[in-house]
Amino acid sequence: MDTEDTGEFLLPRSRQANERLHALIPGGAHTYAKGDDQYPEHLAPVISHGSGAHVWDIDGNRYIEYGSGLRSVSLGHAHPRVLEAVRRELDRGSNFVRPSVLEVEAAERFLATVPTAEMVKFAKNGSDVTTAAVRLARAVTGRPRVAICGDHPFFSVDDWFIGTTPMSAGIPASTNELTVAFPYGDLAATEELLTRYRDEVACLILEPAGQTEPPPGYLAGLRELADRHGCVLVFDEMITGLRWSEAGAQGLYGVVPDLSTFGKALGNGFAVSALAGRRELMERGGLRHSGDRVFLLSTTHGAETHSLAAAMAVLTTYVEEGITARLHALGERLAAGVREAAAGMGVGDHIVVRGRASNLVFATLDENGRPSQEYRTLFLRRLLAGGVLAPSFVVSSALDEADIDRTVEVVAQACAVYRKALDAGDPTPWLAGRPVKPVFRRLA
């Protein structure tokens, strides 16, 4: 085994910075999915800056980046139209004691882009708005239980969801009992759940699409089930919003939820999220009704002017420049290249690209076809050594064909090493440390 095989690649400054991060910040990052445990040991780059589809670490290495900002930076870093909109507001003040006119302008722009919704309220992150949707659903139905799609990985940092994960420490069992799960794509199982907890389920919440397309009639069937059982249908469009269509998955598939939540791509890295939905429901969090008031969303920084300006610029750019179509075209080119490279190296059944072209992920399978953190570690090491930072293959519109072609070259090199590890029946000699770890696990 030579140096090329083991992927010898050192990041001394990043390693030191990671130690400083862990000394001051629990987990060494402000998002668990960005933790250094998600990367090969001592090979977690600490970022200096980014431009377009590239980032530079503090060791001076440049990478082609995928999954930028956990899918939030879909136009590329420091996008000129977004920065221009933000700069216009920075000298005009960012937060006032009364609403800024930008709040109504941003709401108008959002609702023009997502016409299936009638009202919208902005916040700073996805958990704010998904939890607000759950609270609103409980208020309007008078029911306690929340039904989540058990096949989708994340909905909120709040107790109603985190209690269902292996990281449930600190959450009372009584809270966990109020969240139940249904499988994606299975209407019969969902109806059985709603029947078992008749008149107890406040809402069904799910990502409308994930790594696979919705089965024919599935979303419409959920709509009918929610109506028949009197519960609220909530689409979590954090990922599908803008990436599936400018109006999200609901715009693409033509099924209208009662409430939907947006974030990530909405701000191109700036902190902004949105809860949108039917006026009849949303107004319960307002002042123009006669019922009990619902504490829907009330955030000091929810309407920072520069973040709303960023969202307006993102929405305009998507519509005017056909960004969603570009994301799909780039993703299709990447997926085809990776599959060809993997097949050519004899690992086409072990490195598997999945998902919609605008939201690609990859699976790393062992010699028995089972998901493997060890083989993922080997693959990530080789990508990093080749200048590709790719916890996923989620594209941004800033990538160009040369970036895609270079990525495929690096993937092919990684596949060659992957083949050697498969032939040896043990990837351990190629890991140079502990394997990467799943985000959700009970023990550190």
Side-chain angles (χ1 to χ4, degrees), residues 88-129:
R88 279 199 304 267
E89 298 304 322
L90 289 178
D91 291 333
R92 293 163 50 83
S94 62
N95 211 334
F96 313 106
V97 75
R98 278 282 293 148
S100 160
V101 68
L102 216 62
E103 295 182 42
V104 69
E105 293 173 352
E108 289 169 342
R109 184 73 55 85
F110 179 92
L111 294 171
T113 310
V114 187
T116 40
E118 296 173 324
M119 297 188 84
V120 63
K121 196 158 190 180
F122 295 110
K124 302 309 289 180
N125 61 63
S127 295
D128 289 344
V129 289

Side-chain angles (χ1 to χ4, degrees), residues 331-346:
E332 286 168 359
R333 183 184 180 99
L334 176 63
V338 169
R339 287 169 180 147
E340 183 178 356
M345 293 295 173

